[in-house]
Amino acid sequence: RAPALRAVERTPGERAKDASSSSGASEISRNLGVNNAVSRGADGDVDASSSLSAHQAPDRGSSGSSPSLADYDEAVYGGADAIHSEKLVPRLERSINALIVKSAVLVIDKLYEGRDYPRFYALETVARVPYFSFLSVLHLYETLGFWRRADYLKVHFAQTMNEFHHLLIMEAMGGDKKFADRFFAQHMAVAYYGMTCLVYLASPRMAYNLSEQVEAHAYHTYDEFLKRNESELKASKPPAIARKYYAEGDLFLFDEFQTGDPSAKGAACAERRRPVIENLYDVFLNVRNDEAEHMKTMQFCQLPGTILRAPSESACVVGDGESKNAQSASNDGDDDDDDGTDATRTCEGLVDCVIRAQDEPTWQAERDGGEEP
């Protein structure tokens, strides 16, 4: 009798096998396997040899393009258009997500027309919700004994704290003064939380893509705001909470959500992103760059055959960086062998479990070296 499927992570061997049949991202997943986080320059974009200041951040928004994993190495990722799978189910998921995001944006734009800071307050109230949902479902899986993936918990918690400080910044700018603005944003966030929990249970890939699209909207919103108000923002003082978060506080969680380029090797000791906060323009520039980091992490989480690693688990250890990373991967992963010949097969989300259950007898027969029943 074939063992029951667990609604958890696939083994590295199974994920690599699935990845080999995917287009675009397949070569990435076979070669990389895990996301070994690296540091980046102060501009928010990965560059191990760069130490640019926040004022020197490249302005990709001017070309209308969005940040993506392809920014790190287009030869590896095949360009921004190759990041996402073109199979039917992933395409359908992205189309549904796009409809959800566009509908929400239409409502928010109408309610907050001409009021930037209340609009940003609403965006940040909603933007942190998916990471709460991810944490809730991951804790549920762990509680039920399905799986443990500490790195996902670490990174998603760090993402919630980053978005939380964005929210504090918008409150400091007066975005939450009106009761109606708070009421709408908070109730929308509650509804969004429940929906995202259900989506993450059914299909983590779809949930990560939904979050990616929300972060993409936030990135372009801040990018346009910076262009329209550059002179005024550079003449304004930053709120105290922004200076404390970006320049004065404990930056462990700030570093932890910036998972970096999975293809980079030997860059874990590079200079970390350290923003310079001298005026309000610097604040919104770094908020925008934070959203770009979230986008890239969400994109990586959608790639087949990959496992997210927290930056703290890939930190530089003098003379022993290789072994530390290898030990981290061993400790955080399942006890299953990498060749996919574990006794219990795994899957990701309810949708994936249903699809993979259809070929369970065939898989069991192949594993045992016998004939298909």
Side-chain angles (χ1 to χ4, degrees):
R1 181 181 176 182
L5 288 169
R6 286 184 295 161
V8 295
E9 195 83 29
R10 295 190 186 115
T11 64
E14 287 184 308
R15 293 170 67 89
K17 182 178 179 181
D18 290 343
S20 64
S21 61
S22 301
S23 60
S26 59
E27 189 64 26
I28 307 167
S29 56
R30 288 197 299 272
N31 293 336
L32 305 181
V34 298
N35 180 7
N36 291 320
V38 299
S39 306
R40 49 194 43 74
D43 65 334
D45 296 305
V46 169
D47 187 352
S49 62
S50 172
S51 59
L52 298 176
S53 71
H55 301 292
Q56 296 171 295
D59 192 359
R60 290 190 182 87
S62 60
S63 63
S65 62
S66 295
S68 74
L69 289 171
D71 295 340
Y72 296 139
D73 192 334
E74 190 168 350
V76 172
Y77 294 101
D81 295 337
I83 298 297
H84 301 102
S85 172
E86 291 302 318
K87 291 184 177 181
L88 178 61
V89 174
R91 288 175 58 190
L92 179 60
E93 291 174 348
R94 294 198 299 273
S95 297
I96 295 173
N97 289 340
L99 181 61
I100 294 172
V101 173
K102 288 180 181 178
S103 300
V105 168
L106 286 175
V107 175
I108 292 176
D109 287 350
K110 185 64 176 178
L111 290 177
Y112 296 96
E113 186 176 3
R115 299 189 299 141
D116 288 322
Y117 293 131
R119 182 187 181 194
F120 297 159
Y121 168 80
L123 287 176
E124 296 300 341
T125 301
V126 171
R128 60 198 297 243
V129 166
Y131 308 117
F132 286 138
S133 302
F134 302 159
L135 290 171
S136 297
V137 175
L138 290 171
H139 278 298
L140 174 63
Y141 282 152
E142 183 172 332
T143 301
L144 296 177
F146 285 156
W147 72 317
R148 290 182 181 141
R149 189 65 73 188
D151 290 79
Y152 283 73
L153 293 171
K154 291 177 184 178
V155 172
H156 292 330
F157 179 74
Q159 289 175 311
T160 67
M161 292 305 295
N162 176 254
E163 299 288 9
F164 170 65
H165 283 86
H166 291 180
L167 184 63
L168 293 179
I169 291 170
M170 302 315 158
E171 290 177 350
M173 300 305 298
D176 66 333
K177 285 185 177 180
K178 291 187 176 182
F179 170 78
D181 293 336
R182 298 195 303 273
F183 183 89
F184 172 77
Q186 292 166 357
H187 283 73
M188 183 170 60
V190 171
Y192 187 33
Y193 170 80
M195 182 191 73
T196 309
C197 281
L198 294 176
V199 173
Y200 196 65
L201 278 168
S203 174
R205 178 185 56 216
M206 183 177 182
Y208 285 131
N209 180 260
L210 178 60
S211 182
E212 178 197 343
Q213 293 194 34
V214 171
E215 299 292 2
H217 172 71
Y219 173 89
H220 289 292
T221 297
Y222 290 125
D223 191 65
E224 293 172 3
F225 178 72
L226 287 167
K227 293 174 185 175
R228 292 197 316 265
N229 303 280
E230 180 175 356
S231 299
E232 180 181 347
L233 292 172
K234 287 184 175 179
S236 303
K237 293 183 178 180
I241 184 62
R243 189 184 297 277
K244 179 178 180 180
Y245 175 64
Y246 284 113
E248 298 174 359
D250 185 344
L251 295 177
F252 173 78
L253 288 176
F254 178 74
D255 293 333
E256 195 74 344
F257 78 85
Q258 301 178 71
T259 51
D261 179 10
S263 69
K265 296 181 179 180
C269 298
E271 182 181 359
R272 292 193 178 275
R273 177 185 166 201
R274 289 296 176 258
V276 176
I277 304 297
E278 296 179 351
N279 50 54
L280 199 54
Y281 183 88
D282 293 338
V283 174
F284 280 96
L285 181 68
N286 281 284
V287 169
R288 184 201 70 173
N289 290 345
D290 290 346
E291 308 297 1
E293 294 294 334
H294 295 316
M295 285 178 62
K296 295 172 184 179
T297 301
M298 294 298 96
Q299 288 175 357
F300 184 84
C301 288
Q302 297 170 61
L303 295 177
T306 54
I307 298 176
L308 186 68
R309 293 300 181 202
S312 61
E313 296 299 323
S314 326
C316 174
V317 176
V318 177
D320 197 27
E322 294 286 336
S323 62
K324 184 178 191 305
N325 288 338
Q327 183 179 6
S328 170
S330 175
N331 291 341
D332 284 342
D334 294 332
D335 293 331
D336 303 323
D337 295 332
D338 289 348
D339 60 3
T341 58
D342 55 305
T344 305
R345 210 174 174 205
T346 61
C347 53
E348 299 173 334
L350 301 180
V351 173
D352 188 49
C353 286
V354 171
I355 295 174
R356 292 170 67 81
Q358 304 306 311
D359 68 339
E360 185 69 15
T362 302
W363 171 83
Q364 180 73 12
E366 291 177 352
R367 186 183 72 87
D368 295 338
E371 296 294 331
E372 180 179 349

